[in-house]
Amino acid sequence: MATLRVTPKPAVALMKAAQVPKPGADFEMVERPIPAPDAGQVRIQVRACGICHSDVLVKEGVFPWIQYPRVPGHEVAGVVDKVGAGVSAWKTGQRVGVGWHGGHDGTCRECRRGDFRNCRNVKVTGMSYDGGYQEYMVAPVEALVPIPDSLSDVDAAPLLDAGITTYNALRNSGAMPGDLVAVQGIGGLGHLGVQFANKFGYRVAAIGRGPENAELAKKLGAHVYIDSHATNAAEKLQELGGARVIIATAPNSKAMSALIDGLGPNGKLVVIGASLDAIEVTPSQLIFGSKTIQGWAAGTPAASEDTLNFCVLTGVRPMIETYPLEKAAEAYARMLSGKAEFRVVLTM
Ligand SMILES: [Zn+2]
């Protein structure tokens, strides 16, 4: 009698992921095969992933080049779980993070000049490829950041975008110790910006809407709190001598426009809050006093490493609310509400 031989299918290990099935659609929790790292990549067992306002760009499909379904998340902290071919500098079991900068080609003109942040083919984590709203992800080695032992996963995660963005924007802003630096918005980015600005030795003015964050802003290191509902914040900044730098963190272009007249001579408005509507400014507002408006996006993994080390050195930490991965939709809604204090972080 012939024996029917059935070749068993290899068992595919599955993981949980929160994906956006198509632009504008609700999150869905799905089971997906655990991905394998290709050459030059590692697989990360994700332990924490911060939810950033710019995840809206994925959720709502703002960029036509994003492919769906897509798993967002560019504030990833975890452990190297498997290394791909040719990877020698990163080891299984090593704690690593991945931030906004998800990779660069190493060959374009900017890369050849060492300006990896502005690579012509820069990859954004959670946009160009699946990010951290899942139990495992793969990332190219040039996107990896080592996490210091003394930083927890949930603290490290928000520092890999909200942290590096404010830290890097401030340290490249041209402001010197003692200069008046204003931080607009006391939220996911701003509450870190105030701490960094204080540790950098600036005279720190925190600008929030309403009186409720005054006490907290001072605790975080603000020397002055300006309630933009109760007072004209630009006038208040001029009373203080005019800001050398204003870091605009809250994604509110109207509020940013209203602050431009708070800049002092050679003052710079550094825009890091990603909003989709226009900032309004007249040429004469910029011409008299040689003022500038500059955008800033995060930085390289090396700059993220600097950020994490600086936080260990100085005690700067994010204030967070944690949600399990399964509640990604609720956590995302919490971030959108603007009521989170201050960074919403998924845990796995
Ligand atoms: Zn490049």
Side-chain angles (χ1 to χ4, degrees):
M1 199 172 126
T3 311
L4 184 65
R5 281 186 176 258
V6 178
T7 312
K9 273 191 189 166
V12 178
L14 298 174
M15 63 165 186
K16 281 181 249 168
Q19 70 179 21
V20 179
K22 58 181 189 208
D26 290 336
F27 280 100
E28 54 186 26
M29 284 304 305
V30 294
E31 287 204 321
R32 289 179 162 200
I34 295 177
D38 284 336
Q41 297 180 330
V42 304
R43 180 168 72 206
I44 300 165
Q45 184 186 1
V46 181
R47 288 179 170 171
C49 183
I51 295 185
C52 178
H53 190 271
S54 54
D55 292 342
V56 168
L57 303 173
V58 182
K59 175 77 168 51
E60 302 306 326
V62 172
F63 298 133
W65 50 264
I66 299 180
Q67 290 174 355
Y68 293 83
R70 182 55 82 221
V71 176
H74 55 262
E75 294 189 343
V76 186
V79 177
V80 175
D81 168 68
K82 192 169 192 217
V83 300
V87 175
S88 56
W90 303 88
K91 307 289 177 209
T92 302
Q94 186 175 359
R95 296 179 67 221
V96 293
V98 186
W100 174 271
H101 186 101
H104 48 265
D105 61 11
T107 57
C108 75
R109 194 156 113 147
E110 275 60 41
C111 283
R112 295 202 315 278
R113 290 173 169 173
D115 186 10
F116 304 116
R117 197 173 69 88
N118 289 312
C119 172
R120 300 289 171 113
N121 298 300
V122 73
K123 290 196 175 104
V124 181
T125 312
M127 292 189 192
S128 310
Y129 55 85
D130 287 329
Y133 289 26
Q134 55 184 347
E135 291 179 304
Y136 294 86
M137 67 171 281
V138 291
V141 288
E142 79 268 15
L144 301 179
V145 182
I147 298 179
D149 290 342
S150 58
L151 263 186
S152 68
D153 296 309
V154 289
D155 280 348
L159 295 172
L160 292 161
D161 184 42
I164 185 202
T165 300
T166 46
Y167 173 84
N168 221 20
L170 281 167
R171 74 171 176 170
N172 287 289
S173 70
M176 299 294 277
D179 283 350
L180 179 65
V181 170
V183 179
Q184 171 255 1
I186 312 297
L189 292 159
H191 87 287
L192 288 163
V194 170
Q195 294 181 67
F196 287 128
N198 177 282
K199 298 295 183 191
F200 289 178
Y202 305 142
R203 185 179 176 208
V204 185
I207 303 170
R209 293 196 293 172
E212 58 272 12
N213 281 328
E215 202 178 315
L216 176 73
K218 293 210 169 157
K219 214 181 270 178
L220 293 172
H223 301 104
V224 184
Y225 180 78
I226 302 173
D227 173 356
S228 64
H229 270 175
T231 49
N232 180 320
E235 280 174 15
K236 183 71 191 170
L237 289 174
Q238 288 301 342
E239 278 170 31
L240 297 169
R244 177 67 183 81
V245 166
I246 301 171
I247 296 276
T249 76
N252 179 337
S253 300
K254 245 190 186 150
M256 293 182 194
S257 306
L259 285 177
I260 293 167
D261 284 335
L263 292 170
N266 300 306
K268 188 193 281 186
L269 175 72
V270 182
V271 178
I272 58 178
S275 166
L276 298 173
D277 47 350
I279 293 172
E280 286 187 16
V281 62
T282 63
S284 59
Q285 277 178 290
L286 300 178
I287 290 168
F288 300 105
S290 302
K291 290 154 192 173
T292 50
I293 300 176
Q294 180 185 21
W296 190 275
T300 60
S304 283
E305 191 173 347
D306 292 345
T307 306
L308 299 187
N309 289 335
F310 185 84
C311 290
V312 168
L313 185 72
T314 57
V316 171
R317 292 291 184 280
M319 293 170 67
I320 56 170
E321 296 179 0
T322 61
Y323 286 74
L325 172 64
E326 292 75 8
K327 292 192 173 172
E330 191 184 319
Y332 177 85
R334 176 73 177 160
M335 176 282 295
L336 267 191
S337 77
K339 290 181 182 141
E341 291 185 343
F342 282 97
R343 205 59 163 176
V344 178
V345 179
L346 297 173
T347 55
M348 294 74 178

